[in-house]
Coordinates of all heavy atoms in Angstrom, one line a residue:
L40 N -0.2 -43.9 38.8 CA -0.3 -43.5 37.4 C 0.1 -44.7 36.5 O -0.5 -44.9 35.4 CB 0.6 -42.3 37.1 CG 0.1 -40.9 37.4 CD1 1.1 -39.9 37.1 CD2 -1.2 -40.7 36.8
A41 N 1.1 -45.5 37.0 CA 1.5 -46.6 36.2 C 0.4 -47.6 36.1 O 0.1 -48.2 35.0 CB 2.8 -47.2 36.9
A42 N -0.2 -48.0 37.2 CA -1.2 -49.0 37.3 C -2.5 -48.7 36.6 O -3.1 -49.4 35.9 CB -1.5 -49.4 38.7
K43 N -2.9 -47.4 36.7 CA -4.2 -47.0 36.2 C -4.1 -46.4 34.8 O -5.0 -46.5 34.0 CB -4.9 -45.9 37.1 CG -5.2 -46.5 38.5 CD -5.8 -45.4 39.4 CE -5.9 -45.9 40.8 NZ -5.9 -44.8 41.8
K44 N -3.0 -45.8 34.5 CA -2.9 -45.0 33.2 C -1.7 -45.4 32.3 O -1.5 -45.0 31.2 CB -2.8 -43.5 33.4 CG -3.9 -42.9 34.2 CD -5.1 -42.6 33.4 CE -6.1 -41.8 34.2 NZ -7.3 -41.6 33.4
S45 N -0.9 -46.4 32.8 CA 0.3 -46.9 32.1 C 1.3 -45.8 31.8 O 1.9 -45.7 30.8 CB -0.1 -47.6 30.8 OG -0.9 -48.7 31.1
I46 N 1.4 -44.8 32.7 CA 2.3 -43.7 32.6 C 3.5 -44.0 33.5 O 3.4 -44.3 34.7 CB 1.7 -42.3 33.1 CG1 0.5 -42.0 32.2 CG2 2.7 -41.2 33.1 CD1 0.8 -41.8 30.7
T47 N 4.7 -43.9 32.9 CA 5.9 -44.1 33.7 C 7.0 -43.1 33.4 O 6.8 -42.3 32.5 CB 6.4 -45.6 33.5 OG1 7.5 -45.9 34.4 CG2 7.0 -45.7 32.1
V48 N 8.0 -43.2 34.2 CA 9.2 -42.3 33.9 C 10.2 -43.1 33.1 O 10.7 -44.1 33.5 CB 9.9 -41.9 35.3 CG1 11.1 -41.0 35.0 CG2 8.9 -41.0 36.1
L49 N 10.5 -42.6 31.9 CA 11.2 -43.3 30.9 C 12.6 -43.7 31.4 O 13.1 -44.9 31.1 CB 11.3 -42.5 29.6 CG 12.0 -43.2 28.4 CD1 11.2 -44.4 28.0 CD2 12.1 -42.2 27.3
N50 N 13.3 -42.8 32.1 CA 14.7 -43.0 32.5 C 14.8 -43.4 34.0 O 15.8 -43.1 34.6 CB 15.6 -41.8 32.2 CG 15.0 -40.6 32.9 OD1 13.8 -40.4 33.1 ND2 15.9 -39.6 33.2
T51 N 13.7 -44.0 34.5 CA 13.7 -44.2 35.9 C 14.9 -45.0 36.5 O 15.2 -46.0 35.9 CB 12.4 -44.8 36.4 OG1 12.3 -44.8 37.8 CG2 12.1 -46.2 35.9
P52 N 15.5 -44.7 37.6 CA 15.3 -43.4 38.3 C 16.2 -42.3 37.6 O 17.3 -42.5 37.4 CB 15.8 -43.7 39.6 CG 16.9 -44.7 39.5 CD 16.5 -45.6 38.3
G53 N 15.5 -41.2 37.3 CA 16.2 -40.1 36.7 C 17.1 -39.5 37.8 O 16.8 -39.5 38.9
T54 N 18.3 -39.1 37.3 CA 19.4 -38.6 38.3 C 19.4 -37.1 38.2 O 19.6 -36.5 37.1 CB 20.7 -39.1 37.9 OG1 20.6 -40.5 37.9 CG2 21.8 -38.6 38.8
I55 N 19.2 -36.4 39.4 CA 19.5 -35.0 39.5 C 20.8 -34.8 40.3 O 20.9 -35.2 41.4 CB 18.4 -34.3 40.3 CG1 17.0 -34.6 39.7 CG2 18.6 -32.8 40.2 CD1 16.8 -34.3 38.2
D56 N 21.8 -34.4 39.6 CA 23.1 -34.2 40.2 C 23.1 -33.0 41.1 O 22.4 -32.0 40.9 CB 24.2 -34.0 39.1 CG 24.2 -35.1 38.1 OD1 24.8 -36.2 38.4 OD2 23.8 -35.0 37.0
S57 N 24.0 -33.1 42.2 CA 24.1 -32.0 43.1 C 24.5 -30.7 42.5 O 24.3 -29.6 43.1 CB 24.9 -32.4 44.3 OG 26.2 -32.6 44.0
D58 N 25.3 -30.8 41.4 CA 25.8 -29.5 40.8 C 24.8 -28.9 39.7 O 25.2 -28.0 39.1 CB 27.2 -29.7 40.3 CG 27.3 -30.7 39.2 OD1 26.4 -31.5 39.0 OD2 28.4 -30.9 38.6
Y59 N 23.7 -29.6 39.5 CA 22.8 -29.1 38.5 C 21.9 -27.9 39.0 O 21.4 -28.1 40.1 CB 21.9 -30.3 38.1 CG 20.8 -30.0 37.0 CD1 21.2 -29.7 35.7 CD2 19.5 -29.9 37.4 CE1 20.3 -29.3 34.8 CE2 18.5 -29.6 36.4 CZ 19.0 -29.3 35.1 OH 18.0 -29.0 34.1
R60 N 21.9 -26.9 38.3 CA 21.2 -25.7 38.7 C 20.0 -25.4 37.8 O 19.3 -24.4 38.0 CB 22.1 -24.5 38.9 CG 23.2 -24.7 39.9 CD 22.6 -24.7 41.3 NE 23.6 -24.9 42.3 CZ 24.0 -26.0 42.8 NH1 23.3 -27.2 42.3 NH2 24.9 -26.2 43.7
G61 N 19.8 -26.2 36.7 CA 18.8 -25.9 35.8 C 17.4 -26.4 36.3 O 17.3 -26.9 37.5
E62 N 16.4 -26.2 35.5 CA 15.1 -26.7 35.9 C 15.0 -28.2 35.9 O 15.5 -28.8 34.9 CB 14.0 -26.2 34.9 CG 12.6 -26.6 35.3 CD 11.6 -26.0 34.2 OE1 12.0 -25.6 33.2 OE2 10.4 -26.1 34.6
I63 N 14.5 -28.8 36.9 CA 14.2 -30.3 36.9 C 13.1 -30.6 36.0 O 12.0 -30.0 36.0 CB 13.9 -30.7 38.3 CG1 15.2 -30.6 39.2 CG2 13.5 -32.3 38.3 CD1 15.0 -30.8 40.7
K64 N 13.4 -31.6 35.1 CA 12.4 -32.0 34.1 C 12.1 -33.6 34.3 O 13.0 -34.3 34.7 CB 12.8 -31.7 32.7 CG 12.9 -30.2 32.5 CD 13.2 -29.8 31.1 CE 13.2 -28.3 31.1 NZ 13.6 -27.8 29.8
V65 N 10.9 -34.0 34.0 CA 10.6 -35.4 34.1 C 10.2 -35.9 32.8 O 9.4 -35.4 32.1 CB 9.4 -35.5 35.1 CG1 8.9 -37.0 35.2 CG2 9.7 -34.9 36.4
I66 N 11.0 -37.0 32.4 CA 10.7 -37.6 31.1 C 9.6 -38.8 31.3 O 9.9 -39.8 31.7 CB 12.0 -38.3 30.5 CG1 13.2 -37.4 30.6 CG2 11.7 -38.8 29.1 CD1 14.4 -38.0 30.2
L67 N 8.4 -38.3 31.0 CA 7.2 -39.3 31.1 C 7.1 -40.0 29.8 O 7.3 -39.5 28.7 CB 5.9 -38.5 31.4 CG 5.7 -38.0 32.9 CD1 4.3 -37.5 33.0 CD2 6.1 -39.0 33.9
F68 N 6.6 -41.3 29.9 CA 6.3 -42.1 28.8 C 4.9 -42.6 28.9 O 4.5 -43.1 30.0 CB 7.3 -43.3 28.6 CG 7.2 -43.9 27.3 CD1 7.8 -43.5 26.2 CD2 6.3 -44.9 27.1 CE1 7.7 -44.0 24.9 CE2 6.1 -45.6 25.8 CZ 6.8 -45.1 24.7
N69 N 4.1 -42.5 27.9 CA 2.7 -43.0 27.9 C 2.7 -44.4 27.2 O 2.7 -44.5 26.0 CB 1.8 -42.0 27.1 CG 0.4 -42.5 27.1 OD1 0.1 -43.5 27.7 ND2 -0.4 -41.6 26.5
H70 N 2.6 -45.4 28.1 CA 2.5 -46.8 27.5 C 1.0 -47.2 27.3 O 0.7 -48.3 26.9 CB 3.0 -47.8 28.5 CG 4.5 -47.9 28.7 ND1 5.3 -48.5 27.8 CD2 5.4 -47.3 29.5 CE1 6.6 -48.4 28.1 NE2 6.6 -47.6 29.2
G71 N 0.1 -46.2 27.6 CA -1.3 -46.5 27.5 C -1.9 -46.4 26.1 O -1.1 -46.2 25.2
K72 N -3.2 -46.6 26.0 CA -3.8 -46.5 24.7 C -4.6 -45.1 24.5 O -5.1 -45.0 23.3 CB -4.9 -47.6 24.6 CG -4.2 -49.0 24.5 CD -5.3 -50.1 24.3 CE -4.7 -51.5 24.0 NZ -3.9 -52.0 25.1
E73 N -4.5 -44.3 25.5 CA -5.2 -43.0 25.3 C -4.2 -41.9 25.6 O -3.2 -42.0 26.3 CB -6.3 -42.9 26.4 CG -7.5 -43.8 26.1 CD -8.4 -43.9 27.3 OE1 -8.3 -43.1 28.3 OE2 -9.3 -44.8 27.3
D74 N -4.5 -40.7 25.1 CA -3.7 -39.5 25.4 C -3.7 -39.3 26.9 O -4.7 -39.5 27.5 CB -4.3 -38.2 24.7 CG -4.1 -38.2 23.2 OD1 -3.4 -39.2 22.7 OD2 -4.5 -37.3 22.6
F75 N -2.6 -38.7 27.4 CA -2.4 -38.4 28.8 C -2.3 -36.9 28.9 O -1.4 -36.3 28.3 CB -1.2 -39.1 29.5 CG -1.1 -38.9 30.9 CD1 -2.1 -39.3 31.8 CD2 0.0 -38.2 31.4 CE1 -1.9 -39.0 33.1 CE2 0.2 -37.9 32.7 CZ -0.8 -38.3 33.6
L76 N -3.1 -36.3 29.7 CA -3.1 -34.8 29.8 C -2.5 -34.4 31.1 O -2.9 -35.0 32.2 CB -4.5 -34.2 29.7 CG -5.2 -34.1 28.4 CD1 -6.5 -33.6 28.4 CD2 -4.3 -33.2 27.5
I77 N -1.6 -33.3 31.2 CA -1.1 -32.9 32.4 C -1.4 -31.4 32.5 O -1.2 -30.6 31.5 CB 0.5 -33.0 32.3 CG1 0.9 -34.4 32.1 CG2 1.1 -32.5 33.6 CD1 2.4 -34.5 31.8

Side-chain angles (χ1 to χ4, degrees):
L40 281 183
K43 292 174 192 159
K44 302 277 184 186
S45 299
I46 298 296
T47 189
V48 174
L49 184 60
N50 59 331
T51 187
T54 302
I55 310 302
D56 301 287
S57 62
D58 59 351
Y59 180 68
R60 296 293 177 266
E62 181 182 15
I63 294 172
K64 297 186 177 174
V65 178
I66 311 173
L67 283 191
F68 192 90
N69 182 358
H70 286 278
K72 293 187 168 64
E73 294 167 9
D74 285 359
F75 181 66
L76 279 180
I77 305 168

